[in-house]
Every structure is written in structure tokens, then in C-alpha cells.
């Protein structure tokens, strides 16, 4: 749900959460109000939310207030379909001035009142530094690096595809860095940089979610993306630019369609 993503635009971790994380009993608490860490098992996570009747988890609209986005200038990459399009729709609903950057548009995107910059692939350094920067023109309040890629096949040692692995790393890890660095160096960032990543980049959680391994390119790309985001946050801290890494959950999009059989097991259906 896009509301989940946008509802987490925060410049730093609140002290209250830092304090909770320092207390193991609170970090793994059975009380949702004091819990800090999630569960690696996505199916178990959803089942727990249903058992607890956790409305924040099951119906984000019950707590989300996106009114702070009104009048904000927000740039989104990969906003022509899937999760990106859902984010763009939410931004428009909340009254944000939205700019979408990508290779191409779509009929659904064209129907929205947004500025669309096409012909910019996040793997194309020249297009990012040139066409994108030139057409963005003025500073943005929020940058949402959403463009991503997941190979359609389930990868194992039997069908390793190194070209596809490199493509995923280029799009998912180097892409956000290209876009963010180009905008920052051009003086076009006056707020937060958001990177839509995934828990798929967690080495520890692979033992729960992928006990048999596989999908090498996807997981390597997300691990690379996550460490890139940490390093970018460290470098931009002095400039006062927050970098926020977000895991939006396993959404019902074309990118995850090869695992459609678990959609209903890990999150509520779109309303």
C-alpha cells in the first residue's frame, strides 16, 4: 500500500525507538505498541497482525495522514506502473506537485496531473545527469527512488544468468545512487531522499525466507542497495539531507507476479 511507504518519511529514528531497541525485552515484545523489530517470516508476520487485529498493519488508512504532502514537490522514478504508479496516485491525491522520471510513460500515468520526464533510464548516467537534471529544473522536497527490476525467472545454480544479475544490481543499487547524486550535485534536493529497497537484502533473514537459496541477482542487488543507502546517508548527513531506506512489503505487482501464489498469505488485498 502506498500509504505505508509515504507514512514513513522521517528524517531520523525517534529517540523512543532507539531506547526500545536497546532493551531486548521491548524489541521482541508481544505488545505491538512497544515492539521494535519485525518478523523475518512474512507469512507469520501477516498471521500475527491478523491475530492481534493490528489495524495499523491491516488498514494503514486508519492511521495515515498524508496532508503534509500538499504542495510538496516530489520526484518519483519508475512511476509508470506497479508500486511506483500507486505512490504517484497517492501523491496526487494528497496534493503534491509530482514529477515522474523513467524510460517511458503509461496510459494510467498520462491520465494523472503530473509532470512526466521520459527517456531517462536509471542505468544511463548521461541521461540522468543531463536530461533528467535539466528537465527537473527546480529543487524538490522529496526524492523517491522507486525504479526496480526483478528477473522473471526463479534463479538457481541450474539457470544462473550473470547478465541478469548485473542488470538487477545496476538498476536497483546503482540506479538510486545515480539519480540521488545527480540531483544533489545539481542543488536540486532540499529535503529527503527515499530509497525503496527490500528486506531481501538482509543476509540474516535469508535463513528464514530462502532456506534453499536462489534468486541470486535479486538478493545481491538489494544487499548492494542497502549498503549504498547507508553510505549515502553518512555522506549527506553533514549537508542535512536525510536518506531513508524503506521496505514496502511484498506488493501485488508485475514485479512479484512469479510468486503470486503467496500474495494472499503475506499482506491484505488492495482496496
Amino acid at each position: 500500500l502506498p500509504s505505508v511507504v509515504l507514512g514513513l518519511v522521517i528524517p531520523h529514528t525517534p529517540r523512543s525507538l532507539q531506547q526500545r531497541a536497546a532493551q531486548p525485552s521491548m524489541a521482541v515484545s508481544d505488545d505491538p505498541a512497544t515492539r521494535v523489530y519485525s518478523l523475518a517470516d512474512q507469512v507469520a508476520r501477516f498471521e500475527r497482525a491478523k491475530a492481534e487485529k493490528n489495524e495499523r498493519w491491516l488498514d494503514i488508512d486508519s492511521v495515515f495522514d498524508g496532508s503534509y504532502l500538499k504542495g510538496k514537490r516530489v520526484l518519483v522514478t519508475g512511476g509508470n506502473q506497479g508500486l511506483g504508479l500507486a505512490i504517484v496516485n497517492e501523491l496526487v491525491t494528497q496534493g503534491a506537485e509530482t514529477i515522474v522520471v523513467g524510460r517511458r510513460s503509461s496510459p494510467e500515468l498520462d491520465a494523472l496531473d503530473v509532470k512526466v520526464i521520459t527517456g531517462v533510464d536509471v542505468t544511463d548516467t548521461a541521461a540522468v545527469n543531463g536530461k533528467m537534471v535539466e528537465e527537473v529544473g527546480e529543487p524538490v522536497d522529496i526524492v523517491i527512488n522507486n525504479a526496480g527490476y526483478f528477473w522473471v525467472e526463479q534463479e538457481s545454480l541450474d539457470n544462473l544468468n550473470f547478465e541478469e544479475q548485473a542488470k538487477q544490481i545496476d538498476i536497483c543499487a546503482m540506479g538510486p545512487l545515480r539519480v540521488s547524486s545527480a540531483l544533489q550535485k545539481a542543488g536540486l534536493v532540499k529535503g529527503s531522499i527515499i530509497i525503496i529497497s527490500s528486506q531481501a537484502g538482509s543476509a540474516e533473514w535469508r535463513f528464514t525466507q530462502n532456506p534453499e537459496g536462489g534468486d541470486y541477482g535479486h538478493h545481491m542487488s538489494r544487499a548492494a542497495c542497502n549498503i549504498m543507502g547507508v553510505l549515502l546517508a553518512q555522506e549527506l548527513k553533514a549537508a542535512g539531507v536525510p536518506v531513508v531506506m524503506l521496505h514496502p512489503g511484498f506488493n501485488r505487482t508485475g514485479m512479484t507476479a512469479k510468486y503470486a501464489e503467496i500474495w494472499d498469505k503475506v499482506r491484505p488485498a488492495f482496496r
Side-chain angles (χ1 to χ4, degrees):
L1 293 174
S3 300
V4 175
V5 177
L6 298 176
L8 289 174
V9 180
I10 53 177
H12 54 73
T13 302
R15 182 172 297 276
S16 60
L17 288 184
Q18 295 173 350
Q19 292 170 340
R20 292 179 199 170
Q23 302 177 48
S25 62
M26 298 181 76
V28 296
S29 172
D30 289 332
D31 179 3
T34 60
R35 185 179 298 140
V36 176
Y37 300 122
S38 186
L39 295 174
D41 187 326
Q42 297 182 93
V43 175
R45 188 188 312 156
F46 187 26
E47 289 302 317
R48 182 174 71 177
K50 289 188 291 185
E52 294 173 344
K53 295 181 172 55
N54 186 335
E55 282 303 299
R56 186 186 186 283
W57 208 103
L58 300 173
D59 182 10
I60 193 65
D61 290 330
S62 65
V63 295
F64 175 66
D65 178 7
S67 59
Y68 71 96
L69 292 164
K70 186 180 176 82
K72 297 290 186 182
R73 200 158 189 261
V74 185
L75 181 148
V76 182
T77 63
N80 65 326
Q81 61 184 347
L83 179 61
L85 181 61
I87 292 173
V88 172
N89 267 297
E90 184 68 23
L91 288 167
V92 171
T93 298
Q94 298 298 340
E97 179 187 345
T98 309
I99 305 163
V100 181
V101 176
R103 292 180 299 161
R104 58 182 179 273
S105 187
S106 66
E108 296 82 1
L109 183 58
D110 289 338
L112 301 175
D113 184 18
V114 300
K115 178 177 181 178
V116 182
I117 301 174
T118 58
V120 178
D121 191 313
V122 297
T123 67
D124 186 339
T125 303
V128 169
N129 288 333
K131 192 174 194 293
M132 183 194 73
V133 168
E134 181 180 343
E135 294 193 25
V136 169
E138 299 177 3
V140 295
D141 297 287
I142 303 172
V143 177
I144 302 179
N145 288 285
N146 165 78
Y149 175 65
F150 194 177
W151 191 32
V152 294
E153 294 191 28
Q154 295 183 26
E155 189 178 28
S156 70
L157 292 178
D158 293 331
N159 67 335
L160 286 177
N161 189 313
F162 298 108
E163 290 75 19
E164 284 290 334
Q165 291 174 16
K167 180 178 179 180
Q168 288 172 91
I169 292 170
D170 201 1
I171 294 172
C172 300
M174 297 169 67
L177 184 57
R178 281 191 188 90
V179 170
S180 301
S181 62
L183 293 170
Q184 175 66 16
K185 288 188 287 187
L188 296 176
V189 179
K190 62 177 180 178
S192 303
I193 292 175
I194 297 171
I195 300 170
I196 306 296
S197 185
S198 172
Q199 64 186 39
S202 166
E204 177 63 27
W205 280 20
R206 291 314 96 223
F207 295 103
T208 298
Q209 295 183 336
N210 299 84
E212 297 178 355
D215 280 332
Y216 290 90
H218 173 60
H219 296 297
M220 289 190 297
S221 74
R222 292 308 179 181
C225 177
N226 291 348
I227 194 61
M228 177 277 295
V230 171
L231 297 172
L232 185 63
Q234 290 174 314
E235 184 165 358
L236 293 182
K237 184 176 182 179
V241 177
V243 175
V244 185
M245 303 290 294
L246 297 181
H247 166 63
F250 198 83
N251 289 278
R252 300 163 187 261
T253 68
M255 188 179 294
T256 63
K258 67 181 180 181
Y259 291 115
E261 71 276 5
I262 70 169
W263 276 347
D264 291 332
K265 299 178 181 179
V266 298
R267 67 182 302 125
F270 283 126
R271 289 175 295 282

